[in-house]
Amino acid sequence: LQFVESGGGLVQPGGSLRLSCVASGSTLEYYSVGWFRQTPGKEREGLSCISRSGDITYYTDSVKGRFSISRDSAKNTVYLQMNSLKPEDTGVYYCAAKTAWPVEAMCTRARFPSWGQGTQVAVSS
């Protein structure tokens, strides 16, 4: 299973972006999927994860109420809608997947053997 992330860019504080994560190599319907962020000097952080069925989601506190995760099985794609962006949201965003992991555990404790190229998000005026 491989991912290609896209949709990042430069946006002013308060702006919005929609990230896309397209999977290949397998169908995403068997996986919970999450979005993770890497910023310089910090560990990669789990931002939001969504269950296989899409009915269970997890958000870390810093993005609750601003970010929304969704999935489209027909397109084998997971999205992250990011609103009210802040400078501290700047970083490289990645997606990853797990089978048989609860979404909160996946976002907070899971380890992944590899990552895609990610998509860069910069929030600055």
Side-chain angles (χ1 to χ4, degrees), residues 1 3 28 30-34 36 50 52 96-102 106 109-113:
L1 184 64
F3 294 106
L28 274 182
Y30 304 123
Y31 297 86
S32 297
V33 183
F36 299 79
I50 187 168
R52 288 170 47 189
K98 284 287 192 185
T99 57
W101 274 69
M106 178 182 169
R109 296 196 297 273
R111 295 293 181 261
F112 302 91

Side-chain angles (χ1 to χ4, degrees), residues 18 21 28-29 50 70-79:
R18 188 195 194 202
C21 168
L28 274 182
E29 68 177 309
I50 187 168
S70 61
R71 62 192 299 161
D72 185 334
S73 297
K75 296 182 178 180
N76 225 27
T77 301
V78 175
Y79 303 98

Side-chain angles (χ1 to χ4, degrees), residues 4 6 13 16 41 55 76 83 94 100 105:
V4 176
S6 63
S16 298
D55 60 346
N76 225 27
N83 300 325
Y94 303 86

Side-chain angles (χ1 to χ4, degrees), residues 39-61:
T39 54
K42 292 185 177 181
E43 288 190 5
R44 204 178 316 244
E45 176 187 19
L47 302 178
S48 181
C49 292
I50 187 168
S51 63
R52 288 170 47 189
S53 61
D55 60 346
I56 302 172
T57 56
Y58 167 85
Y59 297 92
T60 194
D61 286 346

